[in-house]
Amino acid sequence: VLFVAHGGGPLPLLGDPGHASLTTSLQTIGPQLGKPKAVLLISAHWEEDAPSLTASASPNLHFDYYGFPPECYKYKYPAPGAPDLAERARGLIDTHLSSLGSFPKSKLSQRDFDHGMFVPMMLLFPDASVP
């Protein structure tokens, strides 16, 4: 389990000096981890009434930031989604939440990857091969 910060929008991808240690750290950790079968990321960049999991087989990028240079809105990160893993995680989440009382059931969505996901993943696994 890792806690991975994503920095300020796309600044780690732009070589921002204030994000140099974050960028270097993520670029170093990725190869040390090896290639995992998949990564489950939790992002606070979506507000929902229940836990929500991206279950798209091929999510696009959602540029949920503004005021950056034009190239920041052209990034590509064609990592595959993992709908089966999302469904499995949903079951585990719902089982746990039901034991805690009255929490809403989780849901699957087809939304895209937000920058809280794609910025660290572009640094950890730049080849976009990990779902």
Side-chain angles (χ1 to χ4, degrees):
V1 174
L2 296 175
F3 171 80
V4 179
H6 62 71
L11 291 174
L13 302 176
L14 293 172
D16 177 67
H19 289 78
S21 63
L22 171 65
T23 301
T24 300
S25 175
L26 293 176
Q27 289 172 328
T28 302
I29 291 169
Q32 290 175 350
L33 291 173
K35 183 179 176 181
K37 292 180 184 178
V39 172
L40 177 66
L41 284 160
I42 299 171
S43 173
H45 285 270
W46 292 94
E47 291 186 29
E48 297 278 350
D49 59 353
S52 181
L53 293 92
T54 299
S56 174
S58 55
N60 292 309
L61 302 186
H62 175 69
F63 301 107
D64 56 333
Y65 46 70
Y66 61 92
F68 292 97
E71 63 268 21
C72 296
Y73 304 91
K74 296 178 183 173
Y75 291 130
K76 303 285 184 213
Y77 191 73
D84 292 344
L85 178 60
E87 183 62 51
R88 186 168 152 224
R90 178 185 185 202
L92 293 170
I93 289 167
D94 286 346
T95 297
H96 180 71
L97 289 178
S98 70
S99 72
L100 298 176
S102 59
F103 284 90
K105 285 196 175 276
S106 63
K107 56 188 172 183
L108 299 176
S109 83
Q110 296 298 309
R111 70 173 170 235
D112 296 328
F113 294 147
D114 64 59
H115 80 275
M117 178 275 171
F118 73 77
V119 169
M121 289 296 284
M122 287 174 78
L123 296 167
L124 286 164
F125 307 107
D127 68 353
S129 65
V130 178

